[in-house]
Amino acid sequence: MKTKIRLLLTSLFFACAATTAHAEFANLQEACVNDLKKFPGVFDEKLLKQACEKALVDAQCVSVEGRPIYHYEKLTTEPGAKRVLVFSLIHGDETPAGAVGRYWMERLEAIAPRNSWRVIPVLNPDGVKYKTRTNANKIDVNRNFPTRDWDTAAITNWKRTTGGNLRRFPGKEGGSEPETKCALHHIEEFKPDFIVSVHTPLKVLDFDGPKMMTPPKFDYLPWKSLGNYPGSLGRYMWMERSTPVLTMELKENLPPNYGPFEKLQDIIGTLVKLEAHKNTAAVKKSSFLPLALDSKNEN
């Protein structure tokens, strides 16, 4: 009898462990609406409320100071659909980036997408509160991903290329930050085929992925490679895991309407399919890029 009970308890333990636990936050949906309303630009109140009603916080997704890092998801049953993961506001002082995450959530509520999307509109809520690039521990989350070269290169690169600029401090250990761990959780749990990271203010589309002979036409921002860094999302996901990462570097001012954001979302929906079959061949001949000159770039 005791053996049966132990086996039952063991089965229940593994069943629970296999299920993503969601953290409980009072008035999460209301907080989602209020948070996202603060970002610049127009919004559709009805669609925003609908999207925020579906907001969830996984147990791994709480900031340094205890704020929820919620996400919105819109899945599709379309044959051959891919999975697109969006991170917005990994840097808390890049406020316009929040408008893109918000708009894509609203739009996904209004359409039947051809791919499945998960949007984390505010990955660094403490940084947003304090209007800082870094999190509450004063660490740049986009230099904290545990890339293979983190231990040997992250601190060295930070000192050499930025002179120890505190805005870009990678931390003392790769993957140390709650916000980084939340991002890693979503990557592991959602298993994206394509990742989008929304930033300001370099005014380019920076693609870490298979080489494109002719990038899709996008008048609002030019395509330009900025390289990647020890501890950056692009290096962690593309260089090491063959998952393409598109970094959208917005202009300082939002466009008069959201047509460019809608078009880019459609481009991504096509790009993820066009490029997926090239990943394996591209990664075999890839090696780490030279350490990018962090002093010149902000992503």
Side-chain angles (χ1 to χ4, degrees):
M1 181 68 178
K2 290 182 179 178
T3 302
K4 289 183 178 179
I5 292 174
R6 280 198 299 270
L7 289 171
L8 177 60
L9 290 174
T10 301
S11 298
L12 288 172
F13 171 81
F14 282 109
C16 291
T19 303
T20 299
H22 294 125
E24 294 295 328
F25 284 90
N27 302 317
L28 174 64
Q29 285 68 37
E30 181 180 344
C32 170
V33 171
N34 291 336
D35 288 347
L36 300 187
K37 276 184 175 182
K38 294 174 184 176
F39 299 131
V42 298
F43 57 87
D44 185 307
E45 181 120 16
K46 179 181 177 181
L47 291 176
L48 180 59
K49 285 183 178 179
Q50 284 180 203
C52 282
E53 283 172 3
K54 299 174 183 176
L56 293 170
V57 180
D58 288 352
Q60 298 88 336
C61 288
V62 181
S63 74
V64 172
E65 294 190 342
R67 294 183 176 84
I69 303 173
Y70 45 83
H71 67 275
Y72 164 85
E73 188 171 273
K74 183 67 175 285
L75 302 179
T76 183
T77 57
E78 288 286 324
K82 302 297 181 182
R83 301 171 81 82
V84 181
L85 178 61
V86 179
F87 293 124
S88 181
L89 283 165
I90 194 170
H91 293 144
D93 61 354
E94 297 176 351
T95 308
V100 178
R102 179 184 65 201
Y103 176 68
W104 283 352
M105 288 169 59
E106 292 177 6
R107 185 172 183 237
L108 287 165
E109 272 301 291
I111 64 173
R114 37 188 177 150
N115 295 301
S116 293
W117 290 72
R118 180 178 291 188
V119 181
I120 296 87
V122 184
L123 184 61
N124 181 6
D126 297 347
V128 171
K129 176 178 174 57
Y130 299 116
K131 295 181 173 57
T132 58
R133 175 184 173 92
T134 58
N135 71 353
N137 284 337
K138 302 188 184 306
I139 290 172
D140 184 344
V141 178
N142 200 33
R143 298 294 180 273
N144 189 246
F145 287 92
T147 53
R148 293 173 193 156
D149 62 350
W150 201 97
D151 290 339
T152 59
I155 297 295
T156 301
N157 182 67
W158 169 62
K159 291 179 178 178
R160 180 176 66 84
T161 63
T162 77
N165 186 334
L166 294 179
R167 278 173 49 79
R168 300 182 186 87
F169 179 52
K172 296 181 179 179
E173 180 183 353
S176 62
E177 298 311 291
E179 296 82 3
T180 316
K181 291 174 180 176
C182 173
L184 293 171
H185 160 72
H186 281 293
I187 289 165
E188 176 64 25
E189 197 270 329
F190 189 60
K191 295 179 172 53
D193 299 291
F194 196 99
I195 295 177
V196 184
S197 186
V198 188
H199 292 259
T200 63
L202 298 184
K203 310 178 184 65
V204 298
L205 291 179
D206 175 21
F207 184 53
D208 287 305
K211 183 175 177 61
M212 294 183 290
M213 297 302 294
T214 305
K217 184 176 175 56
F218 187 61
D219 293 332
Y220 181 64
L221 297 171
W223 295 83
K224 181 180 179 181
S225 177
L226 300 176
N228 54 61
Y229 315 86
S232 71
L233 178 63
R235 182 165 292 197
Y236 182 78
M237 288 309 299
W238 170 244
M239 300 299 291
E240 297 183 3
R241 286 161 181 79
S242 73
T243 299
V245 177
L246 177 64
T247 300
M248 181 183 190
E249 285 276 359
L250 294 170
K251 302 176 182 180
E252 294 177 353
N253 297 319
L254 293 173
N257 62 67
Y258 288 160
F261 300 161
E262 180 174 330
K263 182 175 181 180
L264 183 61
Q265 193 174 27
D266 290 340
I267 286 173
I268 292 164
T270 300
L271 190 63
V272 65
K273 289 181 169 62
L274 291 174
E275 299 298 341
H277 69 285
K278 297 180 183 178
N279 285 358
T280 302
V283 171
K284 284 181 179 178
K285 60 184 180 182
S286 291
S287 59
F288 286 120
L289 294 177
L291 297 182
L293 295 179
D294 203 1
S295 59
K296 294 183 179 179
N297 300 323
E298 288 281 338
N299 68 322

